[in-house]
């Protein structure tokens, strides 16, 4: 992982997911000092929340489309 990280709020789903996978891999491998481990864990929490935001947004979009289709079918 690079020292210069893109703000989590600017990451797309795939970018956030891939970085989260890398964070988990590093944490599971161990060998980090406490401060580095905590920083990684905090970044991982932010990345997980960002992934959830993207998935919730996709779910809302799907529900909106399906809801629109149901409304059309009833008229």
């Amino acid at each position: 992982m690079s020292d210069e990280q893109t703000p989590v709020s600017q990451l797309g789903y795939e970018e956030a997911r891939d970085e989260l996978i890398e964070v988990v891999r590093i944490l599971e491998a161990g060998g980090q000092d406490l401060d580095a481990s905590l920083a990684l864990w905090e970044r991982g929490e932010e990345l997980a929340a960002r992934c959830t935001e993207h998935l919730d947004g996709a779910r809302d979009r799907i529900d909106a489309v399906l809801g629109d289709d149901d409304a059309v079918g009833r008229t």
Side-chain angles (χ1 to χ4, degrees):
M1 292 184 60
S2 67
D3 288 338
E4 294 205 19
Q5 296 176 332
T6 301
V8 172
S9 63
Q10 295 179 9
L11 296 176
Y13 173 77
E14 289 80 7
E15 294 168 312
R17 180 202 59 210
D18 292 347
E19 186 177 337
L20 179 57
I21 290 168
E22 180 65 9
V23 165
V24 170
R25 185 193 67 73
I26 293 169
L27 287 171
E28 286 179 342
Q32 302 289 318
D33 64 27
L34 181 59
D35 287 336
S37 293
L38 286 173
L40 280 168
W41 181 80
E42 290 169 343
R43 179 76 174 180
E45 287 290 323
E46 292 175 10
L47 292 164
R50 183 66 175 156
C51 288
T52 299
E53 288 174 14
H54 280 291
L55 292 173
D56 288 346
R59 185 177 298 113
D60 291 344
R61 289 175 61 191
I62 290 168
D63 288 345
V65 169
L66 292 176
D68 289 346
D69 287 348
D70 289 343
V72 171
R74 288 185 293 226
T75 58

